[in-house]
Amino acid sequence: MIQTDFSLLHHNTFGVDVKAKRFIEYSSAEELYKLILDGEITDPYMHIGEGSNLLFTHDYAGTILHSRIGGIVVVKEDIDSIWVRAGAGINWDHFVAYCVEQGWYGVENLSLIPGEVGASAVQNIGAYGVEVKDLIDSVETMNIYGETKTFAVADCKYSYRNSIFKQADMKNVFVTHVCFKLSKVRKFVLDYAALRDEVEGSDGLTLPIVRAAVISIRKRKLPDPKELGNAGSFFMNPVVSYERFKELSEEYLGMPYYQLSDTAVKIPAGWMIEQCGWKGKTIGAAGVYENQALVLVNKGGATGQDIIALSDAIRQSVKDKFNIDITPEVNII
Ligand code: EPU
């Protein structure tokens, strides 16, 4: 389906009203191949998912591509594990709900994360002690020349909210399917204190209980994009040296942190932003969410530029107070 002068209002969860010169959706790898053969995908182009990690700062004078590839198929199983192949265009939380219904363990901590299956593998989404890279077996792709390639998880160069698919030279590679390796054996990741506290007291922990607990934490802390435009965490949590962490923790008793190694410590950017007094503050139509300072929100009618102006002011405050640079996690277009 090819549309021109297309409003992206419903294709970015920030709810920024911008237009794309052309907007193309396809429902299978074969359809994508045909679009390529027909010369429909011309420069400049950009592939999006649900638009839940994007901030448009202007109209897009090119072609936006969006996958509607569906289908969840079991490709292999053994006694302990099951390999499940899912289309890139499936809503991520529908996929999680399906896995939970089937009794497959692994993705439940990633319940209610906005976005789609394809983007999950690009962004290496993560929450409550789990990253999707831990559950991916392989990623199937097609490039702008119509060539297909399957990347084994080890070749995806996964790190915190990052992968090979985010490299500039991979812009012409589109994810068509993701194959997950899930567990048939009961196991839960309850390293994260907030999740442990939420499920405490439930006898006989089950997948639906863990999923419900994650959903309930997220609903308390994170705004629903249908009610208040946002793209989840706007910034990444920065990593500092152990020495810098020691200095900070002596100055700010009780400062939260995640120790990554003997030399590196991750400091929650949301905490620093709150310390700078930004929680609940607004500049024009752009605001800092009142329950989680890492989330920037569109209070109604904000432009991409309004949100960038707020982001810049926050980054400067964090730099002035903590001498730490924080960088956006959201892709700014
Ligand atoms: N904190 C504050 N004030 C705030 C926000 C957080 O003091 O306004 C403190 C919290 O009390 C806690 C710590 O900072 O001690 C961490 O906060 P939280 O557990 O809410 O997690 P986060 O580090 O802010 C990350 C991910 C989220 C993910 C949660 C849970 C990033 C950029 N964000 O947030 O992912 O859901 O952990 O695992 O890593 C996303 O990527 O869009 C996202 C929502």
Side-chain angles (χ1 to χ4, degrees), residues 53 119 121-124 156 159-171 236 328-331:
N53 206 44
V122 173
Q123 174 69 4
N124 186 21
C156 296
S159 61
Y160 172 55
R161 299 291 191 276
N162 205 358
S163 75
I164 193 170
F165 308 111
K166 288 180 88 171
Q167 290 178 4
D169 60 347
M170 294 292 278
K171 183 188 159 287
M236 284 196 266
E329 189 228 16
V330 165
N331 299 324

Side-chain angles (χ1 to χ4, degrees), residues 19-299:
K19 276 188 179 158
K21 197 165 159 212
R22 293 167 84 231
F23 183 78
I24 302 185
E25 288 191 314
Y26 56 89
S27 307
S28 65
E30 293 71 29
E31 262 184 50
L32 173 60
Y33 187 64
K34 185 164 186 312
L35 287 164
I36 293 168
L37 283 190
D38 293 349
E40 291 291 358
I41 308 175
T42 48
D43 250 344
Y45 60 84
M46 187 179 116
H47 203 299
I48 64 166
E50 206 170 76
S52 54
N53 206 44
L54 284 181
L55 177 59
F56 286 103
T57 54
H58 51 75
D59 286 343
Y60 189 75
T63 299
I64 299 269
L65 290 160
H66 180 229
S67 167
R68 300 191 67 112
I69 301 179
I72 303 176
V73 177
V74 172
V75 286
K76 184 165 94 173
E77 63 185 298
D78 64 17
I79 286 200
D80 301 330
S81 308
I82 188 145
W83 284 258
V84 183
R85 180 179 186 253
I90 299 172
N91 171 274
W92 172 257
D93 195 52
H94 290 173
F95 175 68
V96 174
Y98 185 81
C99 295
V100 165
E101 265 168 39
Q102 301 300 310
W104 301 333
Y105 296 79
V107 284
E108 59 283 356
N109 287 21
L110 306 180
S111 290
L112 211 63
I113 295 184
E116 292 167 358
V117 164
S120 78
V122 173
Q123 174 69 4
N124 186 21
I125 59 171
Y128 312 108
V130 174
E131 284 186 312
V132 82
K133 73 170 173 58
D134 307 330
L135 303 157
I136 288 178
D137 177 70
S138 59
V139 179
E140 294 172 35
T141 66
M142 182 178 290
N143 70 14
I144 191 71
Y145 310 108
E147 296 159 344
T148 56
K149 179 173 173 180
T150 299
F151 290 76
V153 65
D155 298 326
C156 296
K157 298 195 184 161
Y158 280 123
S159 61
Y160 172 55
R161 299 291 191 276
N162 205 358
S163 75
I164 193 170
F165 308 111
K166 288 180 88 171
Q167 290 178 4
D169 60 347
M170 294 292 278
K171 183 188 159 287
N172 62 4
V173 172
F174 315 128
V175 174
T176 54
H177 297 86
V178 182
C179 186
F180 298 89
K181 182 183 174 194
L182 304 174
S183 176
K184 297 200 293 187
V185 182
R186 185 179 184 278
K187 58 175 168 195
F188 295 107
V189 178
L190 299 175
D191 306 339
Y192 202 87
L195 181 55
R196 246 185 354 256
D197 294 349
E198 192 77 22
V199 296
E200 205 166 71
S202 329
D203 338 303
L205 209 52
T206 61
L207 279 170
I209 292 175
V210 175
R211 172 167 161 78
V214 170
I215 289 175
S216 140
I217 300 173
R218 289 189 75 93
K219 283 197 166 157
R220 278 202 304 271
K221 283 201 167 185
L222 300 166
D224 180 348
K226 289 191 200 87
E227 286 157 24
L228 192 60
N230 76 92
S233 301
F234 192 89
F235 301 100
M236 284 196 266
N237 287 328
V239 176
V240 301
S241 68
Y242 188 74
E243 289 70 38
R244 181 77 189 110
F245 159 70
K246 282 282 283 177
E247 288 165 11
L248 282 171
S249 60
E250 277 156 25
E251 193 175 343
Y252 299 96
L253 299 175
M255 178 183 81
Y257 64 95
Y258 319 99
Q259 179 122 23
L260 299 177
S261 68
D262 290 347
T263 53
V265 181
K266 203 184 258 184
I267 311 288
W271 176 83
M272 290 193 285
I273 297 167
E274 181 172 354
Q275 294 295 310
C276 291
W278 280 107
K279 203 171 188 171
K281 290 274 161 61
T282 56
I283 300 188
V288 178
Y289 189 51
E290 60 213 17
N291 298 333
Q292 186 11 319
L294 199 54
V295 178
L296 302 192
V297 295
N298 177 355
K299 302 282 241 188

